[in-house]
Amino acid sequence: MSHALPSGPALARVQSFAFAGIDAVPVTVEVQISSGLPALLVVGLADKAVAEARERVRAALGALGIVLPPKRILINLVPADLLKEGSHFDLPIALAILIGMGLIPPETGERYAAMGELSLDGRLNPVAGVLSAALGAFRAQTGLICPRAQGGEARWAGPDLSVMAAPDLRSLIAHLRGEALLEEGPEPEPPFETASLDLSDVREMALGRRALEIAAAGGHNLLFSGPPGAGKSMLAARLPGVLPDLTREQMLETTRIHGACGHLHGDRPITRPPYRDPHHSASLAALVGGGAKSRPGEVSLAHNGVLFLDEFPEFSRQALEALRQPIETGRISVARAAQIVQYPAQFQLVAAMNPCRCGHLGDLERACRKAPRCGEEYTARLSGPMLDRIDLFAEIQPVSPIAISRAVAGESSAAVRARVEAARARQIGRQGHSNARADPSGFAIDETAREMAEQAGTRLRLSARGLTRLLRVARTIADMAADDSITRLHMAEALSFRRR
């Protein structure tokens, strides 16, 4: 004789997300309210911020006059073996409890994912990662409930995503119960644009301007060398102003990275290439990412933009060598005992250095007594493999005060940017991406230019990587001239920017 098993207490479920790097990983918040000693428990590998959600949720509900039943309330975060970090689980936990108490419809957990931090009075506070969560909700074909301040950010995931942005828990409950509809949120703010410095400020310095334009047109890595005050940092700071706007895909990825760090300005996306210039005292974790929570580093914050390293040899050897992987692959792996996280890191490296520690090597009047050993010891801080990943080397000579005072304003960033965009358009049409990541085997090249490259490779003892980067630069120069094939003239100019 068979006996039916007794039915246990019902489960309430609400979807949310944890984060692996900038990728949203689905997490189901389950709540079971059952008989037993009164308790509010959280299980499922939660960190301290998630465990503290019990008290924030209890206080927020109490501020609305909602008292938790004197029962055993078990909150389970599924999957149980995935680490859950952050205060954004407050809102889905509160909603799951309200569904379990029968105060809001159970369909809420099926139709929407949720994330948000609760204040003790029930207000919803902004949290990091809303855009990544919105993209995750879009893929899961659900809507997203988030704090009102981040409704615009969530809507950048796509016009078809249903976003419910609430200022507080009270108005959200009233909306879900059909008692009072939420007010329409404000329209998303226009994209955030940093004020770009203009190239018209750069007078004379024809070699430096040409190297900067070639680097911008092809996305190449660039190293400026010259004495202090020659204008190396001034040139580098004007590179973002001549780069093309980010595509929608690049905008979403870049905004997600900055959103994960809480660096967004309101709910405005980033549509211009970011520019990061960490100090040479930056640690390895600050530069490539890491720390207790494996946060993105400067190489990821510069994704789709520019990473400028001034005083290049002064960075620690360990930090510089760590740049080699992302320069080649466009990604950085942050390995820790508990997890391995990958972040995008497709950046354009621009570096600047003095010829020696005192900065005046080669100046007979000002050079120190240690010359040339001073310069040899200083440049020896940079490894061969690191320098092999630089496409363009430009020596910047200082302009005399008289020449500066009499020189006319240089060409504007807008004019240079128009040429850069035209060259990039040729590259996108030919291979789908910039020349910095192109395969040279598909380049059209004259026989005389090929012979010049082979002879130079032998004479300069270029590695296979160095030869590849030489051909990429030559292809960019040809694109800037609107030529279909690399000629001897293009190759000669590319060679002039090679390290001797």
Side-chain angles (χ1 to χ4, degrees):
M1 182 177 179
S2 62
H3 296 278
L5 294 174
S7 59
L11 288 177
R13 294 184 175 90
V14 172
Q15 299 300 312
S16 189
F17 298 96
F19 297 99
I22 62 170
D23 297 323
V25 181
V27 170
T28 302
V29 178
E30 298 181 334
V31 167
Q32 181 189 71
I33 303 177
S34 59
S35 302
L37 293 175
L40 184 59
L41 307 173
V42 177
V43 297
L45 202 57
D47 75 344
K48 187 172 179 58
V50 181
E52 291 173 346
R54 297 175 302 174
E55 303 307 321
R56 289 192 293 273
V57 169
R58 191 195 301 271
L61 293 178
L64 306 183
I66 300 174
V67 180
L68 295 179
K71 294 185 177 182
R72 187 175 187 271
I73 303 176
L74 178 62
I75 302 163
N76 182 35
L77 307 178
V78 182
D81 60 347
L82 176 67
L83 179 63
K84 322 299 187 308
E85 298 178 315
S87 58
H88 64 274
F89 286 103
D90 291 6
L91 182 57
I93 289 175
L95 293 178
I97 291 175
L98 291 170
I99 292 174
M101 295 173 63
L103 298 179
I104 59 175
E107 303 85 56
T108 301
E110 300 171 1
R111 296 172 52 193
Y112 289 93
M115 64 182 306
E117 179 187 305
L118 285 171
S119 289
L120 299 185
D121 59 359
R123 285 179 292 118
L124 290 178
N125 299 324
V127 292
V130 164
L131 180 55
S132 293
L135 292 169
F138 182 78
R139 288 192 295 268
Q141 298 183 336
T142 65
L144 181 70
I145 302 175
C146 66
R148 184 179 181 83
Q150 295 178 295
E153 179 184 345
R155 291 188 183 94
W156 286 108
D160 297 331
L161 177 68
S162 175
V163 177
M164 192 183 299
D168 52 55
L169 194 56
R170 184 186 297 276
S171 59
L172 178 59
I173 293 173
H175 179 86
L176 294 173
R177 290 168 62 93
E179 298 171 353
L181 296 180
L182 285 171
E183 296 181 5
E184 285 290 332
E187 289 296 318
E189 295 186 42
F192 176 75
E193 293 191 18
T194 56
S196 296
L197 301 173
D198 201 278
L199 264 177
S200 60
D201 302 330
V202 181
R203 306 188 179 194
E204 302 293 325
M205 302 178 66
L207 178 66
R209 292 177 63 101
R210 178 62 175 174
L212 195 76
E213 185 173 344
I214 295 172
H220 303 292
N221 298 328
L222 171 63
L223 174 60
F224 287 127
S225 175
K232 305 182 295 295
S233 300
M234 180 176 66
L235 277 168
R238 283 154 178 78
L239 176 57
V242 301
L243 292 175
D245 288 334
L246 301 181
T247 64
R248 174 173 172 78
E249 181 181 352
Q250 291 173 331
M251 178 270 288
L252 288 175
E253 198 166 37
T254 303
T255 303
R256 288 167 63 195
I257 296 171
H258 287 252
C261 298
H263 292 174
L264 292 184
H265 298 261
D267 57 5
R268 294 179 291 183
I270 298 173
T271 59
R272 293 288 301 147
Y275 178 79
R276 305 293 299 185
D277 54 348
H279 191 262
H280 59 76
S281 62
S283 66
L284 175 64
L287 197 60
V288 302
K293 295 188 176 181
S294 299
R295 300 291 295 274
E298 292 292 335
V299 297
S300 295
L301 293 171
H303 181 59
N304 293 320
V306 177
L307 177 66
F308 175 53
L309 302 183
D310 201 4
E311 304 294 342
F312 198 34
E314 297 292 350
F315 283 81
S316 73
R317 182 69 172 265
Q318 186 182 21
L320 290 181
E321 295 304 304
L323 295 177
R324 289 161 53 181
Q325 180 204 5
I327 287 175
E328 291 294 326
T329 65
R331 302 190 69 82
I332 184 71
S333 297
V334 180
R336 293 294 179 266
Q339 59 181 341
I340 297 177
V341 178
Q342 278 201 341
Y343 288 108
Q346 187 72 55
F347 58 88
Q348 185 173 355
L349 175 65
V350 179
M353 61 180 288
N354 298 326
C356 63
R357 179 174 288 278
C358 69
H360 300 291
L361 183 69
D363 188 331
L364 298 179
E365 296 181 359
R366 306 177 68 179
C368 67
R369 298 177 182 177
K370 294 183 178 180
R373 191 180 65 185
C374 175
E376 293 171 351
E377 292 177 353
Y378 190 66
T379 56
R381 293 167 174 256
L382 302 173
S383 70
M386 184 70 240
L387 291 174
D388 205 29
R389 287 164 168 79
I390 305 294
D391 303 294
L392 296 157
F393 295 81
E395 293 187 9
I396 307 300
Q397 298 301 324
V399 182
S400 70
I402 295 177
I404 292 177
S405 65
R406 297 183 180 181
V408 297
E411 193 177 20
S412 69
S413 292
V416 176
R417 182 176 170 186
R419 294 197 297 268
V420 168
E421 289 176 341
R424 285 283 184 103
R426 292 176 64 87
Q427 297 164 39
I428 299 300
R430 182 176 58 246
Q431 65 227 5
H433 49 74
S434 67
N435 285 335
R437 297 186 292 126
D439 181 3
S441 63
F443 293 164
I445 179 171
D446 291 354
E447 190 59 34
T448 56
R450 187 184 302 278
E451 291 176 358
M452 177 181 282
E454 292 171 351
Q455 293 170 5
T458 302
R459 187 175 68 255
L460 298 177
R461 304 191 67 176
L462 296 179
S463 65
R465 181 189 293 113
L467 183 59
T468 295
R469 292 182 179 274
L470 172 66
L471 293 171
R472 288 171 175 172
V473 172
R475 179 65 262 177
T476 297
I477 295 172
D479 285 330
M480 294 170 66
D483 290 334
D484 294 330
S485 181
I486 300 173
T487 68
R488 186 179 180 86
L489 184 64
H490 305 142
M491 186 62 67
E493 185 174 8
L495 280 168
S496 71
F497 288 108
R498 285 303 304 176
R499 174 171 171 258
R500 297 294 187 266

